[in-house]
């Protein structure tokens, strides 16, 4: 998802299902990370919260959770894409006991009325106590 970005749609209503696909409301799932109430405790949850950030157009969160060594100066969200579904295919490491982890995922989107998907195997690391996105493998 580092190459394609989403159409900003604004924050979902608090009881709306979370875009990341977990069975919780946006408010209780990724919304808490986006608001800064807490930090994602695993690399997978960070990946899910970043997908949700693309989905709702939260470029500040994307930059905040990007490793400073690989972070771009800004994120230009593509208004022609709508991120609609996330599949987490595989994870390695990335728990409270690790300093690095990977997440392989498939992100589904709609662009110009056509469905598409992108696959990425992403690397995450702990930086200053929290998980951050490093880049695609």
């Amino acid at each position: 998802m580092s190459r394609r970005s989403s159409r900003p749609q604004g924050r979902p209503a608090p009881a709306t299902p979370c875009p990341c696909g977990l069975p919780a409301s946006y408010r209780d799932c990724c919304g808490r990370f986006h608001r800064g109430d807490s930090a994602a405790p695993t690399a997978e949850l960070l990946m899910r919260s970043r997908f949700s950030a693309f989905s709702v157009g939260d470029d500040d969160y994307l930059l905040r959770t990007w490793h400073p060594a690989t972070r771009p100066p800004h994120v230009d969200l593509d208004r022609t894409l709508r991120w609609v579904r996330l599949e987490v295919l595989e994870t390695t490491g990335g728990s409270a006991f690790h300093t690095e982890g990977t997440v392989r995922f498939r992100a589904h989107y709609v662009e110009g009325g056509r469905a598409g998907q992108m696959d990425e195997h992403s690397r995450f690391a702990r930086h200053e106590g929290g998980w951050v996105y490093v880049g695609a493998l």
Side-chain angles (χ1 to χ4, degrees), residues 5-12 26 30-36 49-66 75-77 83:
S5 50
S6 72
R7 180 181 77 179
Q9 299 175 356
R11 304 280 175 167
Y26 170 75
C30 294
R32 64 194 164 125
F33 304 137
H34 295 175
R35 289 188 308 272
S49 69
R50 286 178 57 83
F51 174 84
S52 291
F54 275 98
S55 182
V56 303
D58 191 341
D59 56 345
D60 289 337
Y61 182 78
L62 294 169
L63 289 170
R64 229 176 26 249
T65 59
W66 211 314
V75 175
D76 293 321
L77 297 174
W83 295 100

